[in-house]
Each structure stands twice: as C-alpha cells, then as structure tokens.
Amino acid sequence: MRRPDQQTTTRPAPEATLGTGNGTGPAGPDAAPGTGPAAQPAAPGPDTPPAGARPAGPGEPSGPPAAAGTPAARPGSGGTGSAGAGFTGFTGEPTAEGALAPYLRGQAAEFLRSLRLHHEYSAPADAGGHGAAEAARALRRAARRIGGSLHTFRAALDPHWADQLRGELAWLTGILAREHAYANRLARLVDALHLLSGPTLPAARGARAAGEAAGADAQGRAALGVGAARAAALLERRLTLARTRSHSAALQALGSSRFHAIADAVALLASEVPAPSGHAGRAAAASLLEPAELAEQRLLTAVAALPPDDTGPYNEAQDAAWHQARLLLRLHRYAHEVVLGGADPGLTAPGHALDLHRDAVEAAGAAAAAARTPRIAPATAYALGVLHADQRHGVESARAAFRETWPYATALAAP
C-alpha cells in the first residue's frame, strides 16, 4: 500500500541510462463532437484538457475533489514505479531541452507529414477514401499530443505561446473529430438495432413457464421489429446530415487562414521550441518530473472520486466525472511518453474502456434525441427507447471493464 502522495512515475537513475519503454499509446480514433472555436486560451474541447484551477496555467484541469480512497501500487510494481517503464537516452533528471523539445519536434513532424498525406488523399481522384480518413486521424493524434504536452509542461515553455497554440489545436481537433464521431455513432446504433430486433432462440420443450416467457419475448421482439426499421431510417437521416455538415465544416476549416496559421506555427515548432523566460521558467525547464507527477496525481484523485458501481445504468449525471477521468488519463499518458520515453502499457486497457464509455454515452444521447422527434410513430419511439436502454447498459459495462483493468485496485473501492 503506498501513500496518497507517493508518485508512480519512475525517476531516472542519475548514474545509469535506463532501458527503453516498450509500450505504445493507443492509436485509435478519438473524441466526440467538439465545441465551437476556442478562445485564447481555448475553452476545453473534446480533445482538450478541461478548465482548471492552477493559477499559472489557464485551462488546466482541476479534477474531481479527492475521495477517501488510497490508491494502491500496481501489481508487481512494488509501490514505486510503473512496471516495464523505461527512459530513453537520458541520465539524471529529464529536462525541457533533453526530453520535451525532441518530443514536440517529433509530433510536429508527424503533424506535417499527416497534413501532406491528407492533401494528397483529398485530391478529386481519391476524395472520401480510406487514406484521407487515416491521415485525418493521424493529424488529430499528433495535434492532441502537442496540445496535451503544452498543457502539462506549460511552465517549462513560453506560457503565452503555449496557451495560444494549444487553444488553436483544440479548435482544430474538435472540428476534425466530428465527422468521424458521427459515422461511428451511426454504425454503432444501426448494428445495435439489428441485434435487438433479431430472432429469438427456441424455448425448451415441455417447459410451460419457459414457453410463456418465450412468447412474451417474441411479442416484444415483434413490436420492436416493427419500429426498428423506421428508427434506423430516422437515425440515418439525422446522423448522416450531421456528418455531412461536419465534413463541410472540416473542409472549410482546413482551407481557412486560421488553419494555415496553425500549420505555420507547427512548422516552426518542428525546428525550434520557444524557451521560457525568467528564473522561474528556467527552473521549471530544468526538470519535467514535477508537472508529470502532478498530472498523475490528478488522475489518481479523479479515479478515486468516481461514483461506486451500484448506482445503475441510468445515471447520466455521473457521466461527466467519467469523461473527466478519461481526459486526465490522456494527459498522464502523454506526460509518460515525454518523461519516460514511451507509453505505460498498464493503462492501455483502462483507456480503451473509457473510450468505449464515451462512445456508449454519446450513442445513448443520440437515441434519446431521436426519440424526441415530433410526430413519430409509437413503434418507432418504442424501438428508440429500447435502443437507449441498451446503450446505457453499454455504459455500465464499460465502467465495469475500467474497474477490472485499472491497476490501482483500492482507488475504486466502494465507500
């Protein structure tokens, strides 16, 4: 059992260079439909850290209040460091010049490479192809890592420059994420309707109770089947329209002067990372462990404050706490990549569970919004209600999967 103030980020040994981390961060698609253009500094978007209370960093997440649970060490870690974590090419404390600057330059180069590929695949001959979607995802991935690193290590950089670029990257990732999110949501809901309205299994012979239950189930599925097709058509109209609008907005954003200014700023970042000014900034740049450990501690506090698992699936008011934990987990993962040279493989499964949770929450919201459409048939409304319930149970399943895979078991103990 480790103390609540004991960090799990492994400090590199001062006399020897440690091995290379063997984890890789999740490269899957991300983020739900975002908010509008961000201010300077930006308001939080789907891929941006939430607003917080740290005076020196506008937009920094505060996290939920601390709960009475003491995070335990990971299995096999001995209560000190993440198992299998390494640090690449450094001796002593990781610094902004030695760790953060190369990381930001690498992500900036990936951003520019993805942008070039996106322009190539968006040519009239290849428009709308798989290559353009993959390039857009890689572009968002690099933008998120740059923005998250600017957020966590703001004190080790030029604060004004970091806030401005992070806000613009938040706007860009929000715009680019919407089309992909609507397409995934439509596919998820239509597939769920097909499964819910499918045939039932035959009941055992000679079992009257089983036969009555099977008959009731068959009647329910018959009623669901009547409205399922109409519900699917309604969802397809609504989400396809939203996806088309998001696609147009993304194309307009990628051709705007605002985006070209972002691309120019990232191109400069690929060659030079602005250094902080003043004694405090130089001191912060001398070691990156303190902000990385602060990001980790905020994650542990947020997870410890998550609601218990006995509240049932229809608790939409608690979704915000889980979304907050997902954003803080992403910030911690990016900080781990900067400081230790690689992702923490122990957090891959919990991160995937939180992504599934986000998808299920938004799919349930889309089904509920479609059910509020005026003058729809009762059978259609019934099918959408069943679909909403199915997605809310998916929310509960994702929460259970997170609790099972989270490495700090006592942080999720019920109060």
Side-chain angles (χ1 to χ4, degrees):
M1 184 73 67
R2 68 183 181 90
R3 302 189 306 274
D5 60 341
Q6 183 176 350
Q7 308 299 330
T8 60
T9 303
T10 306
R11 293 181 179 268
E15 284 86 15
T17 301
L18 302 180
T20 303
N22 56 1
T24 54
D30 193 30
T35 57
Q40 303 292 335
D47 296 312
T48 334
R54 187 178 178 184
E60 197 160 338
S62 59
T70 303
R74 299 176 192 171
S77 67
T80 56
S82 49
F87 195 78
T88 308
F90 293 100
T91 59
E93 296 286 331
T95 63
E97 181 180 358
L100 180 58
Y103 181 84
L104 289 176
R105 287 195 293 265
Q107 294 301 324
E110 177 64 20
F111 180 96
L112 298 174
R113 187 187 71 85
S114 303
L115 179 60
R116 177 179 57 81
L117 291 176
H118 187 272
H119 285 324
E120 293 177 359
Y121 287 123
S122 298
D126 300 325
H130 181 70
E134 287 295 329
R137 279 194 286 271
L139 186 67
R140 294 201 319 268
R141 194 158 53 242
R144 287 196 308 268
R145 278 168 166 75
I146 295 173
S149 301
L150 295 179
H151 171 85
T152 301
F153 303 106
R154 177 183 182 273
L157 301 164
D158 181 347
H160 176 72
W161 168 83
D163 291 339
Q164 185 175 14
L165 181 56
R166 181 170 60 88
E168 292 300 285
L169 291 173
W171 166 77
L172 176 63
T173 53
I175 290 289
L176 296 180
R178 293 172 190 169
E179 179 184 0
H180 177 75
Y182 284 128
N184 281 356
R185 198 169 306 152
L186 175 59
R188 178 189 180 100
L189 290 173
V190 171
D191 290 344
L193 275 175
H194 177 72
L195 293 175
L196 291 171
S197 60
T200 60
L201 294 175
R205 293 182 180 180
R208 181 177 179 181
E212 292 176 354
D217 182 69
Q219 291 178 359
R221 285 186 178 268
L224 178 61
V226 172
R230 294 181 179 179
L234 176 60
L235 289 169
E236 186 169 1
R237 286 197 303 269
R238 291 171 60 92
L239 294 177
T240 300
L241 177 61
R243 180 186 179 185
T244 302
R245 290 175 175 172
S246 298
H247 180 72
S248 301
L251 292 179
Q252 184 178 3
L254 291 175
S256 65
S257 58
R258 184 177 185 180
F259 171 75
H260 288 296
I262 296 175
D264 291 342
V266 174
L268 292 176
L269 177 61
S271 59
E272 180 183 2
V273 178
S277 58
H279 176 72
R282 288 190 294 271
S287 177
L288 303 179
L289 284 175
E290 182 179 353
E293 290 172 345
L294 180 60
E296 180 187 54
Q297 190 59 43
R298 284 175 173 157
L299 168 64
L300 298 178
T301 302
V303 172
L306 288 174
D309 57 357
D310 56 355
T311 54
Y314 302 101
N315 47 10
E316 288 86 348
Q318 297 177 358
D319 294 341
W322 289 88
H323 294 330
Q324 173 83 348
R326 175 177 171 270
L327 294 176
L328 292 173
L329 177 58
R330 176 179 296 163
L331 284 178
H332 169 60
R333 191 171 77 240
Y334 297 162
H336 198 284
E337 293 177 0
V338 172
V339 174
L340 295 177
D344 184 354
L347 296 179
T348 301
H352 179 65
L354 291 179
D355 288 341
L356 293 178
H357 177 272
R358 184 271 321 272
D359 294 342
V361 166
E362 293 175 348
R372 291 191 291 268
T373 303
R375 297 183 299 278
I376 61 174
T380 306
Y382 173 74
L384 290 171
V386 173
L387 180 61
H388 174 266
D390 175 72
Q391 296 303 306
R392 288 306 305 183
H393 282 284
V395 170
E396 196 67 15
S397 298
R399 293 178 181 178
F402 175 81
R403 291 186 176 95
E404 292 174 359
T405 56
W406 179 246
Y408 308 97
T410 57
L412 292 173

